[in-house]
Amino acid sequence: MSQDQVENLLSEDRTFSPTAEFAAQANIKEAEYALADADRIGFWESKAEYLKWDKRWHTVLDWQVPFSKWFVDGKLNASVNCLDRHIDEGRGDRVAFYFEGEPGDTRTITYAELLKDVKKAANALTEIGIKAGDRVAIYMPMIPEAAVAMLACARVGAAHSVVFGGFSAEALISRINDADARLVITADGGYRKGAAFALKPAVDEALSGEHNVKNVLVVKRTGQEVAWSDRDIWWHEIVDRQPEEHIAESFDSEHPLFILYTSGTTAKPKGIFHTTGGYLTQASYTHRAVFDLKPESDIYWCTADVGWITGHSYVVYGPLINGATQVMYEGTPDTPHKGRMFEIIEKYKVTILYTAPTLIRTWMKWGDEFPNKFNLKSLRLLGSVGEPINPEAWMWYREVIGGNRCPIVDTWWQTETGAIMISPLPGVTATKPGSAMRPLPGISAKVVDDSAHEVGKGHGGYLILDKPWPSMLRGVWGEPERYKETYWSKYEGIYFAGDGAKLDSDGAYWLLGRVDDVMNVSGHRISTTEVESALVSHEEVAEAAVVGANDATTGQAIVAFVILRGGIDHTKGEALISALKAHVVKEIGAIARPRQILVVNELPKTRSGKIMRRLLRDVAENRAVGDSTTLADPNVMNLIKDGLATATED
Ligand code: WTA
């Protein structure tokens, strides 16, 4: 047999079946898989029926590899699907958002109020000349106006390009110009870590050079001093005086809904663009299926910022189409105390929580006393997204947050896929800690070797998607060749996700991280994720990042950076390092024994919480640290290097 593209090293025997009660009430039952397998196109067509169409499609899918059109010739309006239909069907008084500002201010916004705000904002956009087909950049804190701005753009048919509020002026202008945006919607600032941060100055700086931006709409959030120019308009001054009526136009199913930039391995970010009908179909279906949403009774909280795809699909479009009641929180998890998020769960009796492994591991590091202080019994389902979740972090999430009662859905997907692709179904799947388990009904994902052959159970390789799906990206904005080259060139006619994965002996899917992060140790391709999970399974470790560093003997050698758990009296220094190395050998085997383990206080992460292993590799190989402008905390690399100077190696 040919050697695996990525070795299958860790094994996991624990499984957790849904309880009989959960299974009985679940939205989706086992039969859904067979239904979708029998007629994949018909299956997605039936999910599109859930949307409100102004004109029906004549063909479900037009597939000219790698360009797809879904629900061809159908017409609809995204904002009508999120809002008007709920009011028309008598749900206007239902709460859409419970907003919790970081300083403690709150707002409760019903569907009827949200619709009124969106209609007025849409009228304001029209007044300043925004038309269907234009692009609008949105650079906002996590406040309700961010969602209102997105929906108002969708209502008038302008594509939004949300740029995360933590990004710099430079990142903002490159995205504004790449999309040729006409308008920027921003705020004076927002609240983070107990203080007001400014946004408007970054917009002013971004717009100091060349661009085609005509106006800047500014929401007043903090009331801080802002510089003002002729193109600036206060949001409240123009929006408040607009009429409350707005008749939405219908747009083609393939009308661009938004662009969202993701940073690739190269410097220039890719403008991933999504269209309307297919995207809304899959975002709303997966939100009902994976989170088992009961719109009348659930309080749903996805902690993602609208600056990420998760905030688009699972704060704005999916949940609003489904009529969900949500919590939206502006600030950071440790302000004013490390129990803030648990306090919010208790306050609003949150039933469904969707968050990222990086936050789960941060909670683990802080210690159990914070969640234990609050009543989390309202929770009935937990979700994870963004990175592989290490089995021990999964177990901690299950026990400490979920009280051993909530199913966990580990959801694999990407900005490019638009919606969840691989995930347990909470009423059906017996889950394994750390595994995303199985492609959703209607989705075809496989693990293959270099020549596109399926690797089979028990083996590792590359994750691919070999059939089109409704919410797939329609391209890279303005760069069709780059789209083909990046996603469709490794395998003919097949989408390559860039992730390693393995199938265990039962055929469950395990995500192994980006293939760029795979290490080659003495000819064995070892996934950083598996070694990290082995380290996190040691009781003293909360978080780990592993990289392969050049090594004269083994090609690459494993270098690990670990953060220790809070509330533990740690074994000291050398003894701990030796114990951790022995633990990895026990869990995985001698091949995965780290050459070096460094205890650190922080890890370099992007603002969406992904570990930047590239920077750690620079440290491990004693190089000057490369471009770190996308780091959430630019100082982290200095702290790590300082710590390193005093660390020992054996
Ligand atoms: C990673 C986020 C393992 C993966 C929705 C993917 C995951 C990239 C998971 C996309 C998961 C996301 N398990 N890895 N459940 N979810 N990833 O575009 O490497 O921000 O390719 O979309 O995150 O990140 P993006």
Side-chain angles (χ1 to χ4, degrees):
M1 179 180 309
S2 74
Q3 206 202 318
D4 280 12
Q5 307 303 325
V6 188
E7 308 262 341
N8 170 13
L9 297 173
L10 274 182
S11 67
E12 174 64 65
D13 303 324
R14 295 169 286 196
T15 63
F16 298 90
S17 298
T19 60
E21 298 92 294
F22 196 102
Q25 61 82 61
N27 289 349
I28 307 289
K29 309 284 197 276
E30 172 81 41
E32 189 98 339
Y33 291 106
L35 196 76
D37 283 348
D39 176 9
R40 208 172 53 85
I41 297 294
F43 172 81
W44 285 118
E45 181 163 42
S46 73
K47 302 309 170 194
E49 304 280 4
Y50 193 88
L51 300 179
K52 182 177 181 299
W53 295 82
D54 302 314
K55 178 175 172 229
R56 204 183 159 81
W57 57 90
H58 61 62
T59 307
V60 176
L61 171 64
D62 172 359
W63 180 221
Q64 317 276 340
V65 187
F67 297 99
S68 77
K69 292 183 181 153
W70 284 83
F71 311 112
V72 184
D73 227 23
K75 285 191 187 297
L76 75 172
N77 183 292
S79 116
V80 168
N81 272 278
C82 292
L83 301 170
D84 305 57
R85 57 182 297 199
H86 298 304
I87 285 77
D88 295 347
E89 292 163 22
R91 294 185 287 275
D93 292 339
R94 185 181 295 167
V95 173
F97 287 109
Y98 288 112
F99 171 71
E100 182 87 11
E102 198 190 76
D105 56 319
T106 62
R107 282 161 69 185
T108 299
I109 304 168
T110 65
Y111 272 88
E113 288 163 342
L114 191 61
L115 174 60
K116 192 181 76 201
D117 291 349
V118 168
K119 284 179 166 177
K120 292 170 97 174
N123 284 326
L125 293 183
T126 305
E127 181 182 320
I128 56 182
I130 297 301
K131 291 186 294 296
D134 286 345
R135 270 86 52 205
V136 173
I138 297 179
Y139 184 65
M140 298 268 263
M142 195 57 184
I143 56 176
E145 284 81 1
V148 171
M150 290 164 76
L151 291 163
C153 288
R155 196 165 184 94
V156 302
H160 53 72
S161 161
V162 183
V163 179
F164 175 58
F167 279 147
S168 64
E170 210 177 315
L172 177 60
I173 190 61
S174 72
R175 287 158 174 79
I176 286 173
N177 281 338
D178 188 79
D180 193 24
R182 296 298 142 111
L183 171 72
V184 179
I185 307 180
T186 188
D188 48 359
Y191 293 97
R192 218 183 109 75
K193 291 199 179 293
F197 67 92
L199 279 173
K200 176 72 167 40
V203 177
D204 295 340
E205 190 189 330
L207 298 183
S208 61
E210 283 195 24
H211 55 81
N212 287 321
V213 172
K214 303 279 179 291
N215 291 109
V216 177
L217 271 183
V218 188
V219 174
K220 189 176 257 182
R221 166 65 182 141
T222 60
Q224 65 206 107
E225 244 347 91
V226 289
W228 210 249
S229 80
D230 287 349
R231 65 174 173 245
D232 298 336
I233 306 171
W234 281 114
W235 170 276
H236 58 267
E237 284 182 3
I238 188 163
V239 173
D240 288 358
R241 62 173 168 74
Q242 296 297 323
E244 289 184 7
E245 259 330 299
H246 179 275
I247 308 289
E249 197 184 321
S250 296
F251 297 106
D252 195 271
S253 178
E254 285 299 327
H255 189 76
L257 182 62
F258 65 86
I259 305 172
L260 187 59
Y261 287 84
T262 67
S263 34
T265 39
T266 58
K268 187 170 182 278
K270 298 186 285 277
I272 304 300
F273 85 93
H274 285 281
T275 59
T276 310
Y279 171 78
L280 297 180
T281 297
Q282 193 175 331
S284 58
Y285 166 67
T286 52
H287 183 254
R288 296 189 299 277
V290 172
F291 301 106
D292 191 49
L293 183 83
K294 305 287 189 284
E296 298 81 18
S297 52
D298 275 319
I299 306 291
Y300 165 86
W301 185 15
C302 167
T303 65
D305 189 277
V306 287
W308 312 121
I309 189 68
T310 308
H312 285 57
S313 303
Y314 299 108
V315 177
V316 178
Y317 294 106
L320 292 177
I321 286 174
N322 292 332
T325 295
Q326 309 189 58
V327 169
M328 177 188 271
Y329 172 55
E330 175 185 36
T332 42
D334 53 353
T335 308
H337 57 78
K338 293 189 167 106
R340 181 73 190 266
M341 303 191 80
F342 311 118
E343 186 176 50
I344 294 174
I345 292 171
E346 176 180 287
K347 175 174 175 185
Y348 293 103
K349 299 193 170 53
V350 171
T351 59
I352 302 170
L353 179 69
Y354 189 31
T355 192
T358 179
L359 183 60
I360 298 167
R361 291 185 305 249
T362 301
W363 286 337
M364 278 171 77
K365 177 177 74 185
W366 289 341
D368 298 4
E369 67 262 35
F370 300 101
N372 288 346
K373 254 188 266 173
F374 297 93
N375 182 350
L376 307 181
K377 291 213 164 59
S378 56
L379 289 170
R380 68 178 194 93
L381 188 142
L382 303 173
S384 171
V385 61
E387 274 191 291
I389 177 165
N390 319 106
E392 286 317 311
W394 193 103
M395 288 302 298
W396 184 91
Y397 197 27
R398 179 179 159 85
E399 287 165 12
V400 180
I401 306 301
N404 284 317
R405 122 195 121 247
C406 307
I408 297 181
V409 288
D410 173 14
T411 63
W412 179 87
W413 59 295
Q414 307 177 298
T415 303
E416 292 86 343
T417 70
I420 299 172
M421 303 293 282
I422 307 180
S423 166
L425 286 176
V428 177
T429 316
T431 52
K432 303 185 187 194
S435 171
M437 298 306 298
R438 183 173 176 184
L440 287 180
I443 298 301
S444 181
K446 295 189 173 122
V447 184
V448 301
D449 64 16
D450 267 321
S451 24
H453 294 121
E454 287 188 58
V455 297
K457 291 179 182 173
H459 297 282
Y462 304 113
L463 184 70
I464 55 111
L465 303 166
D466 62 347
K467 302 226 166 72
W469 62 101
S471 63
M472 67 193 289
L473 74 168
R474 299 305 196 258
V476 175
W477 190 255
E479 299 181 285
E481 285 311 314
R482 191 174 179 200
Y483 169 59
K484 289 185 203 161
E485 171 59 32
T486 311
Y487 303 105
W488 302 89
S489 65
K490 185 169 168 70
Y491 304 107
E492 178 87 39
I494 292 176
Y495 176 88
F496 172 48
D499 283 352
K502 69 176 188 188
L503 300 175
D504 68 14
S505 52
D506 299 323
Y509 287 61
W510 294 76
L511 277 304
L512 298 177
R514 306 295 296 168
V515 291
D516 310 338
D517 291 334
V518 169
M519 304 173 285
N520 193 326
V521 183
S522 307
H524 295 272
R525 292 195 227 184
I526 301 178
S527 120
T528 50
T529 300
E530 292 208 319
V531 181
E532 288 163 4
S533 290
L535 285 163
V536 176
S537 74
H538 189 278
E539 59 181 12
E540 299 195 40
V541 176
E543 187 155 20
V546 161
V547 297
N550 284 330
D551 187 275
T553 325
T554 56
Q556 281 190 317
I558 298 176
V559 178
F561 298 78
V562 299
I563 296 179
L564 302 179
R565 281 212 204 191
I568 291 183
D569 191 13
H570 295 285
T571 343
K572 285 288 171 298
E574 303 279 306
L576 174 63
I577 303 294
S578 308
L580 293 181
K581 288 183 180 177
H583 183 73
V584 174
V585 172
K586 177 171 100 353
E587 292 292 305
I588 295 185
I591 184 68
R593 179 185 168 85
R595 180 183 76 185
Q596 248 174 309
I597 297 183
L598 303 152
V599 176
V600 294
N601 292 322
E602 293 295 338
L603 289 169
K605 288 183 188 161
T606 63
R607 291 159 193 273
S608 67
K610 291 186 180 27
I611 296 169
M612 291 184 78
R613 292 185 185 74
R614 172 171 63 78
L615 300 180
L616 292 173
R617 212 147 42 223
D618 290 342
V619 172
E621 295 182 342
N622 299 314
R623 264 195 311 274
V625 173
D627 180 17
S628 57
T629 46
T630 53
L631 274 181
D633 175 359
N635 201 29
V636 162
M637 291 315 298
N638 293 331
L639 293 175
I640 291 176
K641 278 186 297 176
D642 293 349
L644 210 70
T646 58
T648 54
E649 186 184 331
D650 72 7

